[in-house]
């Protein structure tokens, strides 16, 4: 007998509940302060590692949770219901950095870096540049052979976790004339000579999550730190980002769910014309539509994640879930501000932050236009 799509296995439900309870208890009190200061306290990051959500798929032998990709998606959703800034910290760590190392890393790279990523080190994924956003493979960061390794020179932009990370997956080209076939992935450690974490961006939303530029000036990277094959970095990037988009879908579902949580509580308490505004049919219908859209987005995210777990094609489904869930998050967060009225527009109440946070979902890890292009190509090919 098959189960309903949103019915979780017992271990999955327990995992989601434990992560959400942690977020509600230990993250929620700091949300406003983190947004204002644009910083995540280190002690909170340490608690995330203690809880096991920063190394969900890392095997036992390396100190990880030995969980599944679906567990990682659930963690991102649960945390983002409280704070999408922490949600994307967890997401990049698991669905991009750990994921890339699990798939492409050598045995030695896994021993070295997965152990660190399970034990307290944060990872970042450095693909974007000033001239290569949606056209990611127009990157210009150069890797030149030098002795038993490579010298990296160039500049990366919009790198999530850049301020906190110790381990960076960096994409550079070993041969600009070869186009995408020259792109290679490298593991670069913080503190490497010639590597500097530059400006931290002052952002509209998800402000506690750091977004930084990275500067490479003849940064020496050992040959042993090539991730995957030389010239095959485009495969590492494409395949990892396809999975990462499911994580962003989960982040947006969590954000929308959190906004709806706040809204339902508020409309039951707020009284106008002698009764709670939740008693007005116009409000009820808007709440009902928001809940319906969140449920649809969650189904799409879970379906894409389950397809990936089953080793079935999921490219279009990943694009669809990110596209739709990011739009739902924006609509539900906007509705929350509307129904809070004037209180929704001030920082004393939580929904204006979620409204600001929601916008990034349509931009990073592939813009909405890029997702539409992916879906259309799949349908028309």
């Amino acid at each position: 007998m098959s189960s309903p799509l949103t019915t979780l296995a017992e271990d999955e439900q327990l995992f989601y509940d434990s992560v959400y309870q942690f977020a509600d208890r230990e993250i929620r009190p700091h949300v406003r302060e983190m947004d204002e200061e644009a910083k995540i306290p280190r002690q909170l990051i340490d608690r995330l590692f203690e809880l096991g959500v920063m190394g969900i798929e890392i095997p036992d032998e390396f100190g990880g949770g030995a969980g599944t990709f679906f567990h990682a998606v659930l963690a991102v959703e649960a945390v983002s219901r409280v704070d999408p800034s922490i949600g994307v910290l967890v997401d990049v760590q698991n669905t991009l950095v750990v994921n890339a190392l699990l798939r492409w890393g050598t045995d030695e790279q896994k021993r070295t870096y997965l152990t660190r990523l399970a034990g307290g080190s944060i990872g970042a994924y450095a693909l974007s540049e000033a001239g290569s956003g949606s056209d990611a493979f127009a990157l210009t960061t150069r890797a030149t052979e030098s002795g038993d390794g490579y010298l990296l020179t160039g500049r990366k932009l919009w790198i999530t976790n850049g301020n906190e990370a110790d381990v960076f997956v960096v994409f550079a080209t070993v041969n600009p004339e070869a186009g995408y076939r020259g792109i290679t992935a490298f593991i670069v450690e913080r503190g490497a000579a010639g590597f500097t974490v530059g400006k931290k961006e002052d952002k509209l939303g998800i402000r506690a999550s750091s977004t930084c530029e990275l500067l490479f000036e003849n940064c020496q990277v050992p040959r042993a730190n090539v991730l995957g094959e030389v010239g095959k970095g485009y495969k590492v990037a494409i395949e990892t980002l396809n999975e990462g988009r499911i994580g962003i879908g989960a982040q947006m579902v969590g954000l929308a769910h959190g906004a709806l949580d706040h809204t339902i509580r508020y409309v039951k308490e707020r009284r106008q014309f002698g009764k709670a505004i939740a008693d007005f049919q116009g409000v009820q219908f808007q709440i009902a539509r928001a809940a319906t859209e969140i449920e649809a987005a969650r189904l799409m995210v879970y379906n894409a994640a389950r397809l990936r777990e089953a080793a079935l094609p999921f490219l279009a489904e990943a694009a669809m879930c990110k596209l739709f869930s990011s739009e739902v998050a924006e609509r539900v967060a906007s509705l929350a501000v509307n129904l809070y009225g004037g209180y929704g527009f001030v920082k004393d109440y939580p929904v204006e932050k979620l409204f600001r946070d929601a916008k990034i979902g349509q931009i990073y890890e592939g813009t909405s236009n890029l997702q539409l292009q992916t879906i259309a190509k799949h349908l028309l090919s």
Side-chain angles (χ1 to χ4, degrees):
M1 183 176 172
S2 57
S3 300
L5 289 179
T6 51
T7 297
L8 302 178
E10 184 178 3
D11 68 299
E12 293 168 343
Q13 189 65 61
L14 285 170
F15 181 72
Y16 176 91
D17 290 344
S18 67
V19 175
Y20 176 69
Q21 287 162 12
F22 164 83
D24 191 43
R25 182 180 66 251
E26 298 194 36
I27 297 175
R28 195 180 298 280
H30 304 288
V31 168
R32 182 176 176 187
E33 179 185 3
M34 289 191 297
D35 182 66
E36 290 176 347
E37 296 186 0
K39 186 177 180 182
I40 304 171
R42 182 65 216 193
Q43 60 266 32
L44 185 53
I45 292 173
D46 291 340
R47 289 289 292 128
L48 290 166
F49 277 100
E50 290 168 17
L51 187 65
V53 300
M54 299 299 279
I56 293 168
E57 289 186 84
I58 294 176
D60 283 334
E61 62 187 294
F62 304 127
T68 66
F69 179 79
F70 195 82
H71 284 118
V73 167
L74 290 175
V76 174
E77 180 189 354
V79 170
S80 299
R81 190 173 160 191
V82 172
D83 189 356
S85 293
I86 307 296
V88 76
L89 171 79
V90 173
D91 178 52
V92 169
Q93 177 90 350
N94 287 283
T95 73
L96 293 184
V97 180
V98 168
N99 193 8
L101 282 160
L102 284 170
R103 177 173 298 192
W104 303 100
T106 64
D107 289 343
E108 182 59 33
Q109 287 170 348
K110 289 176 182 177
R111 274 193 298 273
T112 300
Y113 293 106
L114 291 180
T115 301
R116 288 178 57 183
L117 290 165
S121 291
I122 291 173
Y125 192 85
L127 178 61
S128 295
E129 297 181 5
S132 61
S134 293
D135 185 9
F137 297 145
L139 59 83
T140 60
T141 297
R142 185 73 194 270
T144 307
E145 284 198 71
S146 174
D148 189 31
Y150 291 84
L151 293 176
L152 267 59
T153 300
R155 176 172 173 247
K156 296 292 183 179
L157 281 182
W158 318 119
I159 307 307
T160 301
N161 296 353
N163 213 40
E164 300 84 8
D166 299 302
V167 178
F168 298 77
V169 176
V170 180
F171 294 85
T173 181
V174 298
N175 181 6
E177 287 72 41
Y180 73 90
R181 295 184 185 279
I183 295 169
T184 304
F186 298 89
I187 304 168
V188 181
E189 298 187 33
R190 179 181 287 272
F195 171 39
T196 308
V197 177
K199 177 189 174 186
K200 179 169 171 255
E201 303 293 345
D202 188 6
K203 306 195 301 289
L204 170 74
I206 59 165
R207 289 176 51 77
S209 166
S210 68
T211 303
C212 302
E213 68 172 350
L214 309 180
L215 305 170
F216 300 91
E217 298 178 16
N218 289 325
C219 173
Q220 182 77 47
V221 180
R223 194 175 299 274
N225 280 29
V226 171
L227 181 61
E229 297 178 43
V230 173
K232 295 291 181 70
Y234 69 93
K235 267 183 78 70
V236 178
I238 288 174
E239 296 186 17
T240 309
L241 284 170
N242 287 339
E243 296 166 338
R245 285 165 186 160
I246 303 173
I248 299 301
Q251 181 201 23
M252 293 293 112
V253 168
L255 187 161
H257 190 172
L260 189 62
D261 287 342
H262 289 301
T263 305
I264 288 172
R265 280 194 294 270
Y266 182 78
V267 298
K268 287 179 177 179
E269 296 169 359
R270 174 66 169 167
R271 299 184 67 82
Q272 290 286 274
F273 305 102
K275 57 183 177 180
I277 63 173
D279 293 335
F280 291 101
Q281 190 178 69
V283 171
Q284 293 173 356
F285 283 8
Q286 291 180 85
I287 295 284
R289 185 172 295 279
T292 301
E293 289 198 331
I294 293 169
E295 182 69 3
R298 182 178 288 111
L299 284 164
M300 294 178 78
V301 170
Y302 286 9
N303 182 57
R306 296 291 195 199
L307 286 170
R308 188 271 189 189
E309 291 248 295
L312 294 169
F314 66 90
L315 177 61
E317 289 79 5
M320 288 175 178
C321 83
K322 181 186 181 293
L323 172 74
F324 185 70
S325 62
S326 63
E327 292 174 348
V328 168
E330 185 179 54
R331 285 196 291 269
V332 175
S334 179
L335 173 65
V337 172
N338 288 350
L339 292 179
Y340 265 72
Y343 292 121
F345 208 68
V346 297
K347 293 182 182 292
D348 291 336
Y349 290 78
V351 293
E352 65 84 28
K353 176 190 178 296
L354 294 176
F355 181 60
R356 290 185 284 108
D357 289 347
K359 192 63 205 176
I360 191 61
Q362 297 176 47
I363 300 171
Y364 63 5
E365 289 200 36
T367 64
S368 290
N369 279 344
L370 197 61
Q371 307 312 317
L372 289 166
Q373 185 181 51
T374 298
I375 297 161
K377 185 177 179 180
H378 172 78
L379 294 171
L380 298 172
S381 61

